[in-house]
Every structure is written in C-alpha cells, then in structure tokens.
Amino acid sequence: MVIPSPGPLSRDAELSPRIGAIVVGVSAGAINALSVLLPALPRELAVAVIVVVHVSAGRRSLLCDLFRARCAMRVREPVDKEPVGAGTIWFAPPDYHLLVERERTFALSLEAPVHFSRPSIDVLFESAADAYGSELLAIVLTSASCDGSAGALSVRSHGGTVVVQEPDTAEAPLLPRLVIAQGSPHKVGTLLEICDFVRATVEGGAP
Amino acid sequence: MTTEAGFDLDDGELSLLLEAIYLRFHYDFRNYARASLRRRLAQALLRLRCETLSHLQARLFREPEVFTLLLQVLTVQVSDLFRDPPFFRYLREQIVPELRTYPSLKVWVAGCAAGEEVFSLSILLREEGLLDRAMIYATDINPEALRKAEAGVYALERVPTFTENHRASGGRSSLSDYYTAAYGSAVLDRSLLKRVVFSDHSLATDNVFAEVQLVLCRNVLIYFDKVLQSRAIGLFKDALCRRGFLGLGSRESLAFSAHAAAFKRTFPNEQWYRRW
Ligand SMILES: C[S@@+](CC[C@H](N)C(=O)[O-])C[C@H]1O[C@@H](n2cnc3c(N)ncnc32)[C@H](O)[C@@H]1O
C-alpha cells in the first residue's frame, strides 16, 4: 500500500532526495522485526543505520551481540562524539538518549525519559531530522508506545522520508497506526517491502 | 512554530541568548553540545511559558527567579549511588591497589550533581581503608545541586537501586550501615563527608585548583561540544599528577579529544585513563 504523500515524492530513486542516513524506531516485537530488516541490508549500503530499541536499563545491551553475527553491515554502539559512520548499524546504548549533531557526530544525554523511554525514538528522530533534513529516511516498526510519533512528524516537516510497517503485520500496531494517522508516511508496507524500498532507494542498496 | 523538541528554535536567537546569559550571569553555555541543549531550551520555554527565546531573554533580565529555574533545566542532574556498578568495581579492584601507594590521596569529582557520586566514592574508600588519608574536591556549577549534595538526603524509594548498585559494584559492607531512614528519606552518614570539600566550579570558565591523583568526571562531557570538552580535559590533564587516573562515563571516550595523546588507556575499558 502506498499512501499519497503531502510533498513531492517519487519511488524513482533518481528523483528522490539522496538518502544520507536511516533512523529506525522499534519497541515491542523489535527482535523479530529487526531480524528481518537488518540482515537484509548489504554491506555496501552507503549510509549509517541508527536504531533505537526500547530496552530496559540493563547493565549492557545484548543487541549488538545478537545482530553482529547475522548482519553484513558492521554493528556497534556509539560513544559520545563519535562520527556517524556509514556502512554501520548503530544501536542506541541502554539508558541514554542518542542524538545526532549537525556536524554528524553522535551525542548522548541523560535527560528524563520521553514517554517512559530512554533511549527515546522521538529524541533520535528529531535531532536527526534537524541534522539531515530531506536526506533522512525514518523507518517506524512495531511498537506499543507512542514514543516516535512526534519524531516521525518532525522528520516529515524537515522534508525527510517516512516509511511505516503495515500495522496489521506488526506485532504491536500502535505506533505504526499513530504515524499513519498523522498522514505523514511515504510508504506503508510489510517488512520485506520495506527492505526492498531501502535497497531500491539508498545508494549501495542494490548490487 | 516551537515544538517541544526544540529543533525549530531560531539559531540566531539561541546564540544571542547564550551570549546574554554569559554576560549577565557568567554561566557559559555557549559551547554546550547543541542538539540536547536545544531540547532543554525548548522545555524551558514550555515551563516558563515563553513563546520565543527572545522572550525568555527579555524575562531573564527582569525577573531574577527566571535564571534560577532556567539553570535547573539547562543542567541535567540525573545520577545514582554507584551508578554504573562496573565502573566502581573497576575502581575498587584495579585502581585502588595503585592508589594505596600514595601517602595521601587527592580526588576531584567534577560535575558531582546532588552528591551521589561523592557518597559512592567515600563509601568505597572507607571500605578500602583509604578514606582517612583522602581529600575529595567535589565541584559543580549548579548551586542547588551542591546544596543537596551537602545535605546528603535522598528519597527513600531510590534506596533499593542504590543498594543493588552498591552490591553489584563489589561493596564489602551493607549500604544500610551508611544511612538512616527518616520520614520517607534516607539520610547519609555525615562522617562520609569529613574528607569532602564542595565548591562551585565551572569546567567552562574556571581553572585548575589543586594537584590530584584521581579525577572522576562522568556524564558531564557529553553535554559539551568538542571545544569545551577539550578545555575540560585540558584541566584534568593539568590537575593530574603523572600516572594519575581519569574515569569517565560509560559512553564517553578520549578517542575524539585533542588531548588523547596525554593519556593512556591502560585498561581494556574505554572509561579509564592514565595521565602519561
Ligand atoms: C548528569 S550529571 C552527572 C552526575 C554524575 N557525575 C554521574 O555521572 O552520575 C551532570 C552534572 O554536570 C554539571 N555540569 C554541567 N555543566 C558543568 C560545568 N560547566 N562545569 C561543572 N559541572 C557542570 C551539572 O550541573 C550536573 O550536575
């Protein structure tokens, strides 16, 4: 299903803005959804993929260990001030907000949780929207929290591209529904359709 | 339009506001990391019911209480006793043995917030038998936080986390030996502060005040941009004796700092450095 978008948009990669970074927000059902999306991304993908997963404030996140073995791209958690490197999947570290500065370095913060979440999808999306403008691609996946809907709106208002998992195919449809209801997404699809969209739209995505 | 997110704040107004705060109140936020600073300023606008940063600026000059409130929003106070237990475990197991070799021990806790880190350190040093020969300088720019630190009173509901952290950090005693519960609060043992001096000191505008063997500065550098971070790390470099230790927050690193060469990451852990 393709929802008509408010701004000019083409599925044709020639006409879409160049994608400079991808941000992904996901919560309940994250492991299953990411297990489809992330391993499908080729090592040559010429952008950073920055992922916020709501995880309880544990001592150490297991996400990197879990996905490193399965993904072609590099998988890491950033430290503060680290440049947002392309070709890498970056997981937000537990118990910090993850932001992107305009000079395209990572920044961390311990501010209060947003919608009970730290890291927060809104915080990442809003800062990345500011840093990347129309070059940002935001992917909203299964989540039972409303954290991420304000962020998706901000991505849209900065001219970025918003892609949402089809709610009926999401383990938790709340966030996908909220973002669709805002009328902002450029594409709504299954996980496999989203993979295809990314490979077709992003430099280095297709062989 | 101003969103809560704060990414639509006008950049010109933002720079002017920071300049005004510096001139009028001598707090220098000009080189704070911008992305999270913008969020906090947007929150300040909401809390203070200001439409724009210019409006906030005008009020700052006329209503003294506005700055007091703004300072609370701009400085992030989140902390815990033994926050990040592996950090303290490392300190206890790997660094304390080296610290024992100094006849007297001076420590600087920079950005001590409401004192949680200071009490953690005091408890650890007491458990290790080092507190009596230690001197701890605890500094922050937030006077409200320093006042709370000196009082040493925390909400009782935080104690289970404190206790769990203390145990996970390798604590040798029971945390309950160090506080008394009263009226929904945990009051920390005053004797833990016998070797502590609190003072108002800014890593952005003040200078080195003592030679120390250990600096703890955790989750403060994340709020600075690279220029200010470099200034702060420069202060630590000058304050530390040769082979002194620097401990950072769990997601901080000297890897992107101009002073990286003055320090050695002698431990596998990115959080701990030695002045070289
Ligand atoms: C998140 S708290 C860190 C608390 C503690 N170190 C920890 O990690 O648990 C950050 C602290 O840095 C202080 N701070 C901010 N700017 C500062 C500056 N320029 N100089 C000294 N302290 C500063 C804030 O007031 C706040 O108390």
Side-chain angles (χ1 to χ4, degrees):
Chain A
M1 176 170 89
V2 177
I3 303 238
S5 68
L9 175 99
S10 165
R11 297 274 310 273
D12 182 350
E14 299 296 325
L15 296 180
S16 314
R18 198 185 76 81
I19 299 298
I22 300 176
V23 288
V24 181
V26 60
S27 177
I31 303 297
N32 288 337
L34 292 176
S35 296
V36 176
L37 179 66
L38 299 181
L41 303 175
R43 182 202 301 274
E44 295 73 28
L45 203 75
V47 303
V49 179
I50 313 165
V51 188
V52 166
V53 182
H54 290 160
V55 280
S56 48
R59 230 151 282 163
R60 205 169 92 82
S61 158
L62 301 169
L63 289 165
C64 281
D65 296 343
L66 190 61
F67 284 98
R68 193 168 287 130
R70 302 193 203 166
C71 292
M73 296 178 73
R74 269 192 307 273
V75 177
R76 292 207 41 190
E77 277 180 11
V79 294
D80 187 58
K81 306 281 184 282
E82 188 161 7
V84 182
T88 304
I89 295 166
W90 301 95
F91 279 107
D95 210 23
Y96 283 86
H97 289 304
L98 178 64
L99 303 92
V100 179
E101 296 283 355
R102 287 183 187 166
E103 70 223 50
R104 301 189 178 178
T105 53
F106 285 109
L108 296 165
S109 172
L110 279 177
E111 278 153 69
V114 174
H115 298 301
F116 309 103
S117 300
R118 189 172 60 206
S120 142
I121 301 169
D122 281 341
V123 172
L124 172 67
F125 280 21
E126 283 160 358
S127 65
D130 183 69
Y132 287 92
S134 64
E135 293 188 5
L136 187 67
L137 168 60
I139 301 178
V140 176
L141 303 178
T142 167
S143 166
S145 150
C146 56
D147 173 41
S149 76
L153 205 57
S154 170
V155 172
R156 190 72 195 91
S157 72
H158 283 80
T161 304
V162 176
V163 172
V164 184
Q165 184 177 8
E166 165 65 60
D168 292 341
T169 69
E171 258 172 71
L174 178 75
L175 181 64
R177 284 210 180 109
L178 282 173
V179 173
I180 291 168
Q182 291 169 346
S184 62
H186 293 80
K187 182 179 175 59
V188 177
T190 63
L191 288 168
L192 289 175
E193 286 168 342
I194 293 173
C195 294
D196 289 342
F197 179 87
V198 172
R199 283 192 300 241
T201 317
V202 181
E203 196 190 325
Chain B
M1 189 190 81
T2 305
T3 68
E4 188 182 356
F7 292 98
D8 297 318
L9 300 177
D10 183 86
D11 287 326
E13 280 182 85
L14 176 54
S15 299
L16 280 176
L17 175 72
L18 300 181
E19 208 61 54
I21 291 173
Y22 179 57
L23 290 174
R24 174 73 178 73
F25 302 99
H26 313 292
Y27 279 85
D28 193 352
F29 290 105
R30 295 175 298 178
N31 285 100
Y32 277 50
R34 280 295 160 100
S36 69
L37 182 67
R38 271 191 222 111
R39 278 196 79 81
R40 295 195 295 283
L41 280 170
Q43 273 154 22
L45 291 185
L46 282 178
R47 293 243 309 249
L48 290 157
R49 295 176 200 287
C50 294
E51 292 271 310
T52 60
L53 292 174
S54 302
H55 181 201
L56 174 61
Q57 184 172 331
R59 287 188 55 195
L60 272 176
F61 280 85
R62 292 198 199 96
E63 305 166 44
E65 67 281 5
V66 170
F67 183 68
T68 312
L69 215 156
L70 182 63
L71 189 60
Q72 301 311 313
V73 182
L74 290 186
T75 58
V76 178
Q77 301 298 324
V78 175
S79 190
D80 264 326
L81 245 59
F82 294 94
R83 183 188 157 82
D84 184 13
F87 176 90
F88 285 98
R89 184 177 274 280
Y90 209 82
L91 173 59
R92 188 191 298 275
E93 291 173 358
Q94 308 293 327
I95 294 173
V96 160
E98 306 260 1
L99 298 180
R100 283 189 206 289
T101 63
Y102 297 116
S104 74
L105 174 63
K106 284 186 183 153
V107 187
W108 178 10
V109 181
C112 66
E116 294 90 339
E117 200 173 10
V118 178
F119 280 105
S120 311
L121 181 68
S122 293
I123 291 170
L124 188 152
L125 292 178
R126 178 170 290 172
E127 285 174 341
E128 300 299 329
L130 285 178
L131 188 59
D132 288 338
R133 56 169 132 142
M135 185 75 220
I136 301 171
Y137 304 102
T139 61
D140 204 284
I141 56 166
N142 185 321
E144 175 75 13
L146 287 169
R147 202 187 50 70
K148 284 188 190 152
E150 262 170 305
V153 178
Y154 303 102
L156 208 51
E157 72 239 26
R158 298 177 66 189
V159 168
T161 307
F162 291 176
T163 306
E164 172 54 31
N165 285 352
H166 174 244
R167 196 176 301 131
S169 78
R172 294 183 196 274
S173 51
S174 164
L175 192 67
S176 60
D177 297 345
Y178 301 102
Y179 68 87
T180 47
Y183 306 107
S185 300
V187 183
L188 276 281
D189 180 352
R190 301 296 311 163
S191 71
L192 291 169
L193 295 185
K194 258 196 345 226
R195 315 293 303 166
V196 180
V197 180
F198 288 101
S199 55
D200 186 333
H201 177 282
S202 172
L203 295 168
T205 51
D206 293 320
N207 292 316
V208 172
F209 52 82
E211 187 183 71
V212 299
Q213 287 89 36
L214 171 65
V215 171
L216 302 189
C217 182
R218 298 157 69 220
N219 302 309
V220 182
L221 298 177
I222 52 177
Y223 296 104
F224 297 171
D225 74 5
K226 280 193 183 146
V227 173
L228 183 50
Q229 207 176 68
S230 179
R231 182 186 199 277
I233 296 167
L235 295 183
F236 303 149
K237 177 179 142 228
D238 293 342
L240 278 168
C241 66
R242 246 175 80 77
R243 299 184 174 248
F245 297 89
L246 168 63
L248 303 179
S250 67
R251 301 289 157 181
E252 292 168 327
S253 166
L254 290 188
F256 309 102
S257 158
H259 295 293
F263 293 88
K264 223 183 193 147
R265 222 181 85 191
T266 47
F267 306 110
N269 195 322
E270 284 220 48
Q271 290 181 269
W272 281 105
Y273 295 84
R274 233 174 156 174
R275 176 80 171 89
W276 219 252

